[in-house]
Amino acid sequence: MSSCNETSTPMNAIERLTNEDGSGRADARVFRSIVGGLIYLTHTRPNIVFVVSLISRFMHSPTRHHLGVAKRILRYVRGIMNYGIWYYPVTNLSLIGFTDSDWAGSLQDRKSTTSYMFNIGCGAVCWLSKKQETVALSSAKAEYMAATSATCQAV
């Protein structure tokens, strides 16, 4: 995909992935290989962590639609190859954290996803996007669980 067309976003914002989407089965070996490479890439690219976490939930039985989403992420990465995290000296060194969650984002089990990111000085040093272990009964509870997780990381 080195000569593919670039895209400006890693995934459509309104797109919801499900186990059975009617598009037929994809080659699981190819899908797992792409997702494995993308997981490796998340160590230096926090902007794709959420979508890679999302598609990695379908590694056991990928469809052609899931493979298309994985290829779209590769097209996005192709467009941002010259971007990166730059660290430079700063006079005011402080820890700044951001956290968020989506309430019942997974259509299969209605679990929410916790995401957080921490910056020290000028660049990101820690980030996470992970499905919550329990089902939140409200958006406030999902946000509370995300804030608790981020606070534990900050401490």
Side-chain angles (χ1 to χ4, degrees), residues 39-71:
I39 289 172
Y40 178 77
L41 202 57
T42 62
H43 293 289
T44 58
R45 302 219 177 253
N47 54 337
I48 64 168
V49 171
F50 176 75
V51 291
V52 173
S53 169
L54 191 64
I55 65 165
S56 68
R57 297 175 189 171
F58 303 100
M59 290 182 70
H60 62 283
S61 183
T63 64
R64 285 189 221 148
H65 181 68
H66 298 143
L67 183 61
V69 172
K71 287 183 177 181

mmCIF file of all heavy atoms in Angstrom, residues 39-71:
data_model
loop_
_atom_site.group_PDB
_atom_site.id
_atom_site.type_symbol
_atom_site.label_atom_id
_atom_site.label_comp_id
_atom_site.label_asym_id
_atom_site.label_seq_id
_atom_site.Cartn_x
_atom_site.Cartn_y
_atom_site.Cartn_z
ATOM 1 N N ILE A 39 -0.607 -2.332 15.687
ATOM 2 C CA ILE A 39 -0.397 -2.325 17.146
ATOM 3 C C ILE A 39 1.027 -1.893 17.461
ATOM 4 O O ILE A 39 1.268 -1.104 18.377
ATOM 5 C CB ILE A 39 -0.727 -3.701 17.749
ATOM 6 C CG1 ILE A 39 -2.238 -3.948 17.712
ATOM 7 C CG2 ILE A 39 -0.200 -3.809 19.184
ATOM 8 C CD1 ILE A 39 -2.652 -5.360 18.097
ATOM 9 N N TYR A 40 1.989 -2.399 16.699
ATOM 10 C CA TYR A 40 3.378 -1.983 16.883
ATOM 11 C C TYR A 40 3.523 -0.478 16.642
ATOM 12 O O TYR A 40 4.229 0.217 17.361
ATOM 13 C CB TYR A 40 4.279 -2.769 15.933
ATOM 14 C CG TYR A 40 5.726 -2.383 16.022
ATOM 15 C CD1 TYR A 40 6.512 -2.820 17.083
ATOM 16 C CD2 TYR A 40 6.314 -1.586 15.053
ATOM 17 C CE1 TYR A 40 7.840 -2.475 17.170
ATOM 18 C CE2 TYR A 40 7.646 -1.220 15.136
ATOM 19 C CZ TYR A 40 8.403 -1.675 16.197
ATOM 20 O OH TYR A 40 9.717 -1.312 16.291
ATOM 21 N N LEU A 41 2.811 0.035 15.664
ATOM 22 C CA LEU A 41 2.898 1.452 15.313
ATOM 23 C C LEU A 41 2.298 2.356 16.390
ATOM 24 O O LEU A 41 2.668 3.522 16.501
ATOM 25 C CB LEU A 41 2.194 1.671 13.972
ATOM 26 C CG LEU A 41 2.572 2.889 13.154
ATOM 27 C CD1 LEU A 41 4.062 2.901 12.864
ATOM 28 C CD2 LEU A 41 1.789 2.892 11.856
ATOM 29 N N THR A 42 1.371 1.847 17.195
ATOM 30 C CA THR A 42 0.751 2.670 18.246
ATOM 31 C C THR A 42 1.744 3.084 19.321
ATOM 32 O O THR A 42 1.450 3.989 20.098
ATOM 33 C CB THR A 42 -0.429 1.941 18.923
ATOM 34 O OG1 THR A 42 0.038 0.757 19.561
ATOM 35 C CG2 THR A 42 -1.529 1.636 17.938
ATOM 36 N N HIS A 43 2.910 2.470 19.379
ATOM 37 C CA HIS A 43 3.913 2.862 20.375
ATOM 38 C C HIS A 43 4.476 4.255 20.112
ATOM 39 O O HIS A 43 5.005 4.894 21.013
ATOM 40 C CB HIS A 43 5.056 1.843 20.424
ATOM 41 C CG HIS A 43 4.635 0.512 20.941
ATOM 42 N ND1 HIS A 43 4.310 0.287 22.254
ATOM 43 C CD2 HIS A 43 4.460 -0.666 20.308
ATOM 44 C CE1 HIS A 43 3.968 -0.966 22.414
ATOM 45 N NE2 HIS A 43 4.043 -1.564 21.245
ATOM 46 N N THR A 44 4.356 4.711 18.882
ATOM 47 C CA THR A 44 4.855 6.045 18.547
ATOM 48 C C THR A 44 3.785 6.953 17.949
ATOM 49 O O THR A 44 4.063 8.114 17.682
ATOM 50 C CB THR A 44 6.022 5.953 17.531
ATOM 51 O OG1 THR A 44 5.560 5.271 16.366
ATOM 52 C CG2 THR A 44 7.205 5.227 18.139
ATOM 53 N N ARG A 45 2.595 6.444 17.747
ATOM 54 C CA ARG A 45 1.522 7.220 17.131
ATOM 55 C C ARG A 45 0.243 7.114 17.965
ATOM 56 O O ARG A 45 -0.622 6.279 17.692
ATOM 57 C CB ARG A 45 1.255 6.734 15.718
ATOM 58 C CG ARG A 45 2.493 6.821 14.856
ATOM 59 C CD ARG A 45 2.139 7.265 13.473
ATOM 60 N NE ARG A 45 3.340 7.424 12.669
ATOM 61 C CZ ARG A 45 3.818 8.596 12.340
ATOM 62 N NH1 ARG A 45 3.237 9.687 12.724
ATOM 63 N NH2 ARG A 45 4.893 8.675 11.602
ATOM 64 N N PRO A 46 0.106 7.977 18.986
ATOM 65 C CA PRO A 46 -1.084 7.887 19.844
ATOM 66 C C PRO A 46 -2.386 8.234 19.141
ATOM 67 O O PRO A 46 -3.451 7.889 19.620
ATOM 68 C CB PRO A 46 -0.792 8.892 20.963
ATOM 69 C CG PRO A 46 0.234 9.808 20.421
ATOM 70 C CD PRO A 46 1.030 9.022 19.420
ATOM 71 N N ASN A 47 -2.326 8.870 17.983
ATOM 72 C CA ASN A 47 -3.550 9.258 17.286
ATOM 73 C C ASN A 47 -4.272 8.090 16.628
ATOM 74 O O ASN A 47 -5.408 8.239 16.196
ATOM 75 C CB ASN A 47 -3.255 10.359 16.261
ATOM 76 C CG ASN A 47 -2.146 9.982 15.309
ATOM 77 O OD1 ASN A 47 -1.308 9.131 15.607
ATOM 78 N ND2 ASN A 47 -2.120 10.602 14.162
ATOM 79 N N ILE A 48 -3.648 6.914 16.550
ATOM 80 C CA ILE A 48 -4.339 5.759 15.971
ATOM 81 C C ILE A 48 -4.668 4.699 17.017
ATOM 82 O O ILE A 48 -5.203 3.651 16.672
ATOM 83 C CB ILE A 48 -3.521 5.128 14.818
ATOM 84 C CG1 ILE A 48 -2.195 4.571 15.303
ATOM 85 C CG2 ILE A 48 -3.355 6.108 13.672
ATOM 86 C CD1 ILE A 48 -1.486 3.703 14.279
ATOM 87 N N VAL A 49 -4.390 4.961 18.281
ATOM 88 C CA VAL A 49 -4.595 3.957 19.326
ATOM 89 C C VAL A 49 -6.053 3.514 19.399
ATOM 90 O O VAL A 49 -6.342 2.320 19.466
ATOM 91 C CB VAL A 49 -4.109 4.472 20.692
ATOM 92 C CG1 VAL A 49 -4.514 3.541 21.812
ATOM 93 C CG2 VAL A 49 -2.607 4.647 20.692
ATOM 94 N N PHE A 50 -6.987 4.455 19.378
ATOM 95 C CA PHE A 50 -8.392 4.085 19.519
ATOM 96 C C PHE A 50 -8.869 3.198 18.388
ATOM 97 O O PHE A 50 -9.479 2.154 18.619
ATOM 98 C CB PHE A 50 -9.277 5.333 19.619
ATOM 99 C CG PHE A 50 -10.741 4.999 19.660
ATOM 100 C CD1 PHE A 50 -11.309 4.484 20.807
ATOM 101 C CD2 PHE A 50 -11.527 5.176 18.539
ATOM 102 C CE1 PHE A 50 -12.656 4.155 20.840
ATOM 103 C CE2 PHE A 50 -12.876 4.848 18.559
ATOM 104 C CZ PHE A 50 -13.436 4.333 19.712
ATOM 105 N N VAL A 51 -8.609 3.573 17.157
ATOM 106 C CA VAL A 51 -9.125 2.792 16.026
ATOM 107 C C VAL A 51 -8.433 1.437 15.919
ATOM 108 O O VAL A 51 -9.067 0.452 15.549
ATOM 109 C CB VAL A 51 -9.040 3.572 14.690
ATOM 110 C CG1 VAL A 51 -10.003 4.724 14.672
ATOM 111 C CG2 VAL A 51 -7.647 4.022 14.386
ATOM 112 N N VAL A 52 -7.155 1.365 16.265
ATOM 113 C CA VAL A 52 -6.460 0.076 16.258
ATOM 114 C C VAL A 52 -7.032 -0.822 17.357
ATOM 115 O O VAL A 52 -7.241 -2.023 17.150
ATOM 116 C CB VAL A 52 -4.939 0.269 16.401
ATOM 117 C CG1 VAL A 52 -4.239 -1.069 16.577
ATOM 118 C CG2 VAL A 52 -4.380 0.989 15.190
ATOM 119 N N SER A 53 -7.310 -0.229 18.515
ATOM 120 C CA SER A 53 -7.949 -0.988 19.588
ATOM 121 C C SER A 53 -9.313 -1.503 19.141
ATOM 122 O O SER A 53 -9.698 -2.636 19.452
ATOM 123 C CB SER A 53 -8.096 -0.094 20.825
ATOM 124 O OG SER A 53 -8.927 -0.684 21.785
ATOM 125 N N LEU A 54 -10.025 -0.708 18.386
ATOM 126 C CA LEU A 54 -11.356 -1.081 17.920
ATOM 127 C C LEU A 54 -11.303 -2.249 16.935
ATOM 128 O O LEU A 54 -12.042 -3.224 17.087
ATOM 129 C CB LEU A 54 -12.025 0.136 17.277
ATOM 130 C CG LEU A 54 -13.487 0.044 16.951
ATOM 131 C CD1 LEU A 54 -14.305 -0.122 18.220
ATOM 132 C CD2 LEU A 54 -13.928 1.285 16.209
ATOM 133 N N ILE A 55 -10.437 -2.177 15.954
ATOM 134 C CA ILE A 55 -10.412 -3.264 14.967
ATOM 135 C C ILE A 55 -9.748 -4.526 15.508
ATOM 136 O O ILE A 55 -10.020 -5.616 15.026
ATOM 137 C CB ILE A 55 -9.753 -2.836 13.637
ATOM 138 C CG1 ILE A 55 -8.286 -2.512 13.819
ATOM 139 C CG2 ILE A 55 -10.514 -1.720 12.985
ATOM 140 C CD1 ILE A 55 -7.520 -2.442 12.516
ATOM 141 N N SER A 56 -8.900 -4.384 16.524
ATOM 142 C CA SER A 56 -8.262 -5.580 17.085
ATOM 143 C C SER A 56 -9.266 -6.467 17.818
ATOM 144 O O SER A 56 -8.973 -7.622 18.106
ATOM 145 C CB SER A 56 -7.115 -5.189 18.009
ATOM 146 O OG SER A 56 -7.604 -4.557 19.168
ATOM 147 N N ARG A 57 -10.450 -5.963 18.096
ATOM 148 C CA ARG A 57 -11.495 -6.777 18.738
ATOM 149 C C ARG A 57 -12.061 -7.828 17.790
ATOM 150 O O ARG A 57 -12.771 -8.733 18.214
ATOM 151 C CB ARG A 57 -12.634 -5.876 19.215
ATOM 152 C CG ARG A 57 -12.208 -4.892 20.258
ATOM 153 C CD ARG A 57 -13.328 -3.950 20.609
ATOM 154 N NE ARG A 57 -12.825 -2.878 21.469
ATOM 155 C CZ ARG A 57 -13.525 -1.821 21.808
ATOM 156 N NH1 ARG A 57 -14.764 -1.680 21.380
ATOM 157 N NH2 ARG A 57 -12.997 -0.898 22.593
ATOM 158 N N PHE A 58 -11.764 -7.728 16.507
ATOM 159 C CA PHE A 58 -12.338 -8.631 15.518
ATOM 160 C C PHE A 58 -11.297 -9.561 14.906
ATOM 161 O O PHE A 58 -11.518 -10.115 13.830
ATOM 162 C CB PHE A 58 -13.036 -7.810 14.425
ATOM 163 C CG PHE A 58 -14.091 -6.894 14.976
ATOM 164 C CD1 PHE A 58 -13.822 -5.553 15.178
ATOM 165 C CD2 PHE A 58 -15.330 -7.382 15.317
ATOM 166 C CE1 PHE A 58 -14.781 -4.715 15.697
ATOM 167 C CE2 PHE A 58 -16.303 -6.553 15.837
ATOM 168 C CZ PHE A 58 -16.030 -5.212 16.034
ATOM 169 N N MET A 59 -10.187 -9.769 15.590
ATOM 170 C CA MET A 59 -9.123 -10.606 15.041
ATOM 171 C C MET A 59 -9.521 -12.079 14.956
ATOM 172 O O MET A 59 -8.977 -12.826 14.151
ATOM 173 C CB MET A 59 -7.838 -10.432 15.841
ATOM 174 C CG MET A 59 -7.231 -9.063 15.627
ATOM 175 S SD MET A 59 -5.714 -8.774 16.474
ATOM 176 C CE MET A 59 -4.585 -9.794 15.614
ATOM 177 N N HIS A 60 -10.459 -12.522 15.761
ATOM 178 C CA HIS A 60 -10.864 -13.924 15.752
ATOM 179 C C HIS A 60 -11.694 -14.291 14.520
ATOM 180 O O HIS A 60 -11.674 -15.437 14.080
ATOM 181 C CB HIS A 60 -11.655 -14.246 17.022
ATOM 182 C CG HIS A 60 -12.925 -13.467 17.148
ATOM 183 N ND1 HIS A 60 -12.944 -12.147 17.541
ATOM 184 C CD2 HIS A 60 -14.211 -13.799 16.894
ATOM 185 C CE1 HIS A 60 -14.188 -11.713 17.545
ATOM 186 N NE2 HIS A 60 -14.980 -12.686 17.157
ATOM 187 N N SER A 61 -12.413 -13.333 13.970
ATOM 188 C CA SER A 61 -13.273 -13.622 12.828
ATOM 189 C C SER A 61 -13.490 -12.357 11.995
ATOM 190 O O SER A 61 -14.574 -11.779 11.997
ATOM 191 C CB SER A 61 -14.615 -14.169 13.329
ATOM 192 O OG SER A 61 -15.433 -14.511 12.257
ATOM 193 N N PRO A 62 -12.473 -11.919 11.257
ATOM 194 C CA PRO A 62 -12.603 -10.659 10.509
ATOM 195 C C PRO A 62 -13.466 -10.811 9.256
ATOM 196 O O PRO A 62 -13.502 -11.864 8.627
ATOM 197 C CB PRO A 62 -11.162 -10.323 10.133
ATOM 198 C CG PRO A 62 -10.487 -11.648 10.065
ATOM 199 C CD PRO A 62 -11.147 -12.508 11.108
ATOM 200 N N THR A 63 -14.146 -9.733 8.926
ATOM 201 C CA THR A 63 -14.925 -9.687 7.685
ATOM 202 C C THR A 63 -14.191 -8.782 6.686
ATOM 203 O O THR A 63 -13.200 -8.132 7.029
ATOM 204 C CB THR A 63 -16.338 -9.127 7.940
ATOM 205 O OG1 THR A 63 -16.220 -7.763 8.374
ATOM 206 C CG2 THR A 63 -17.082 -9.943 8.979
ATOM 207 N N ARG A 64 -14.707 -8.728 5.483
ATOM 208 C CA ARG A 64 -14.105 -7.850 4.476
ATOM 209 C C ARG A 64 -14.220 -6.379 4.877
ATOM 210 O O ARG A 64 -13.344 -5.579 4.566
ATOM 211 C CB ARG A 64 -14.767 -8.068 3.117
ATOM 212 C CG ARG A 64 -14.323 -9.336 2.471
ATOM 213 C CD ARG A 64 -14.829 -9.406 1.051
ATOM 214 N NE ARG A 64 -15.268 -10.769 0.828
ATOM 215 C CZ ARG A 64 -16.247 -11.134 0.034
ATOM 216 N NH1 ARG A 64 -16.906 -10.244 -0.649
ATOM 217 N NH2 ARG A 64 -16.571 -12.382 -0.100
ATOM 218 N N HIS A 65 -15.298 -6.057 5.570
ATOM 219 C CA HIS A 65 -15.465 -4.680 6.045
ATOM 220 C C HIS A 65 -14.381 -4.328 7.072
ATOM 221 O O HIS A 65 -13.807 -3.240 7.026
ATOM 222 C CB HIS A 65 -16.854 -4.496 6.643
ATOM 223 C CG HIS A 65 -17.111 -3.108 7.140
ATOM 224 N ND1 HIS A 65 -17.221 -2.032 6.290
ATOM 225 C CD2 HIS A 65 -17.241 -2.616 8.391
ATOM 226 C CE1 HIS A 65 -17.431 -0.929 6.995
ATOM 227 N NE2 HIS A 65 -17.451 -1.258 8.276
ATOM 228 N N HIS A 66 -14.085 -5.240 7.980
ATOM 229 C CA HIS A 66 -13.023 -5.002 8.970
ATOM 230 C C HIS A 66 -11.674 -4.824 8.274
ATOM 231 O O HIS A 66 -10.877 -3.960 8.661
ATOM 232 C CB HIS A 66 -12.935 -6.176 9.951
ATOM 233 C CG HIS A 66 -14.185 -6.388 10.744
ATOM 234 N ND1 HIS A 66 -14.639 -7.643 11.076
ATOM 235 C CD2 HIS A 66 -15.082 -5.520 11.259
ATOM 236 C CE1 HIS A 66 -15.760 -7.533 11.768
ATOM 237 N NE2 HIS A 66 -16.050 -6.256 11.884
ATOM 238 N N LEU A 67 -11.426 -5.644 7.254
ATOM 239 C CA LEU A 67 -10.187 -5.504 6.490
ATOM 240 C C LEU A 67 -10.127 -4.149 5.798
ATOM 241 O O LEU A 67 -9.071 -3.502 5.760
ATOM 242 C CB LEU A 67 -10.060 -6.638 5.468
ATOM 243 C CG LEU A 67 -8.791 -6.674 4.633
ATOM 244 C CD1 LEU A 67 -7.562 -6.835 5.524
ATOM 245 C CD2 LEU A 67 -8.851 -7.793 3.607
ATOM 246 N N GLY A 68 -11.254 -3.692 5.279
ATOM 247 C CA GLY A 68 -11.306 -2.365 4.658
ATOM 248 C C GLY A 68 -11.001 -1.256 5.647
ATOM 249 O O GLY A 68 -10.309 -0.287 5.320
ATOM 250 N N VAL A 69 -11.502 -1.392 6.883
ATOM 251 C CA VAL A 69 -11.212 -0.393 7.916
ATOM 252 C C VAL A 69 -9.717 -0.409 8.251
ATOM 253 O O VAL A 69 -9.091 0.651 8.404
ATOM 254 C CB VAL A 69 -12.068 -0.645 9.176
ATOM 255 C CG1 VAL A 69 -11.638 0.257 10.311
ATOM 256 C CG2 VAL A 69 -13.546 -0.434 8.870
ATOM 257 N N ALA A 70 -9.127 -1.604 8.340
ATOM 258 C CA ALA A 70 -7.690 -1.705 8.616
ATOM 259 C C ALA A 70 -6.875 -1.061 7.496
ATOM 260 O O ALA A 70 -5.899 -0.344 7.744
ATOM 261 C CB ALA A 70 -7.287 -3.167 8.794
ATOM 262 N N LYS A 71 -7.282 -1.269 6.264
ATOM 263 C CA LYS A 71 -6.576 -0.646 5.138
ATOM 264 C C LYS A 71 -6.757 0.868 5.135
ATOM 265 O O LYS A 71 -5.846 1.593 4.751
ATOM 266 C CB LYS A 71 -7.054 -1.250 3.818
ATOM 267 C CG LYS A 71 -6.540 -2.656 3.603
ATOM 268 C CD LYS A 71 -6.965 -3.203 2.267
ATOM 269 C CE LYS A 71 -6.403 -4.581 2.025
ATOM 270 N NZ LYS A 71 -6.789 -5.128 0.715
#
